[in-house]
Structure formats: structure tokens, C-alpha cells
Amino acid sequence: MIAAYILFILFPQNLALVYVALVLFYTPNTFIQMTAILALTDSIEYGQLKTGQRNEAVTLSVRPMLDKIAGALSNSIVGVVAVAAAMTNGADPNSLTAQNIQTFNTAAFYVPLAIIVCSFLAFFFKVSISEKEHAKIVKELEEKLASA
């Protein structure tokens, strides 16, 4: 996705590279969502180990709620950017100023790229439940439940 944003920023007029960027942008989306769902489900056992209560329904209901909030926010952001970049009321592309285009580029490319990089870094450094760690948590939880 980061490579796609860089291609969008550097080569917006090259249609072949825009197509490559689109493929690079949308392909990882499924893997990112799958990773988020797996990390969320792995946290169920971790929470049970730490608190003694299994809150599977509560934990798994968080993601759809966040999806709905994100959808509403994204629609709002698109509207704000369209107004800020003067891309409303049937605006003619020839009537856009350099400032309007810069406003759009900042909101559509630079800010999302920065957020993706920050999200990657946060996930990379803060999510510590690997497959090995998860197996250890499950084993410890099974032992704890067997002794109780």
C-alpha cells in the first residue's frame, strides 16, 4: 500500500503506473483485514488468561462497530475535502487552482500515507501476540483451567 501511494504521488499522469498502483493498493487490503481479525481473536485467550473471563462476543463485536464508525468518518472526510478543495457544485476541472489541487493531494495521498506508516509501526512494535506466543497462552490457559 505504501508503494502504491508513492506511485500515485510521483506518477499521477502515467496511466500504466496508476493501474499498477491500484493493484498494489487493493491487494494487501484482504491480508490486512485478516491479520486484524486474527489478532483480535487471539486476544480473546489472552484476555481470558489475564482476567479469568472469556469475553468472546464482546471482543468480536468490536470490529463491526469500528467498521461502521470508520465508514461514517470516511464519508465525512471525503465531504470536507471536496468542499475544502472546491470540488463541489459541478466544479469544472479547469477551474481548480493549484491550491485546490494541493489540498486534494494532501488529503488523498500524504495524510493517508502518514497514517498507514504510523499504523504499521504501531502494529509492528505493539502487537506482541505471535503464533508461538498464542500457543503458549493457550497451553497456560488449558493448564490453569485443568487445575481449577
Side-chain angles (χ1 to χ4, degrees), residues 3-4 9 28 35 48 55 63 73 75-76 79 85 89 101 105 110 135:
I9 291 167
T35 302
Q48 183 179 5
N55 292 321
R63 193 191 63 79
L73 284 174
N75 287 338
S76 300
N89 298 329
I101 294 170
N105 285 341
Y110 304 125

Side-chain angles (χ1 to χ4, degrees), residues 49-73:
L49 181 65
K50 294 298 179 184
T51 66
Q53 297 179 2
R54 187 173 181 92
N55 292 321
E56 192 168 343
V58 173
T59 303
L60 294 178
S61 67
V62 168
R63 193 191 63 79
M65 178 189 68
L66 291 176
D67 286 346
K68 291 182 186 305
I69 292 170
L73 284 174

Side-chain angles (χ1 to χ4, degrees), residues 77-109:
I77 291 168
V78 167
V80 168
V81 170
V83 169
M87 295 181 168
T88 59
N89 298 329
D92 184 346
N94 296 327
S95 69
L96 296 176
T97 66
Q99 180 62 38
N100 297 136
I101 294 170
Q102 183 60 40
T103 299
F104 175 79
N105 285 341
T106 299
F109 299 117

Side-chain angles (χ1 to χ4, degrees), residues 1-135:
M1 289 180 88
I2 293 170
Y5 270 108
I6 291 170
L7 287 175
F8 282 135
I9 291 167
L10 296 178
F11 306 105
Q13 302 299 323
N14 187 331
L15 190 58
L17 288 177
V18 168
Y19 284 140
V20 170
L22 286 170
V23 170
L24 289 174
F25 183 77
Y26 286 108
T27 301
N29 192 34
T30 304
F31 298 110
I32 291 169
Q33 287 202 356
M34 181 180 66
T35 302
I37 291 168
L38 291 174
L40 196 61
T41 56
D42 287 352
S43 70
I44 293 169
E45 284 86 7
Y46 179 76
Q48 183 179 5
L49 181 65
K50 294 298 179 184
T51 66
Q53 297 179 2
R54 187 173 181 92
N55 292 321
E56 192 168 343
V58 173
T59 303
L60 294 178
S61 67
V62 168
R63 193 191 63 79
M65 178 189 68
L66 291 176
D67 286 346
K68 291 182 186 305
I69 292 170
L73 284 174
S74 68
N75 287 338
S76 300
I77 291 168
V78 167
V80 168
V81 170
V83 169
M87 295 181 168
T88 59
N89 298 329
D92 184 346
N94 296 327
S95 69
L96 296 176
T97 66
Q99 180 62 38
N100 297 136
I101 294 170
Q102 183 60 40
T103 299
F104 175 79
N105 285 341
T106 299
F109 299 117
Y110 304 125
V111 172
L113 178 58
I115 291 170
I116 287 172
V117 169
C118 290
S119 299
F120 169 76
L121 292 173
F123 191 83
F124 187 77
F125 289 111
K126 292 295 182 184
V127 176
S128 61
I129 301 179
S130 64
E131 286 294 321
K132 185 185 252 185
E133 183 69 22
H134 182 256

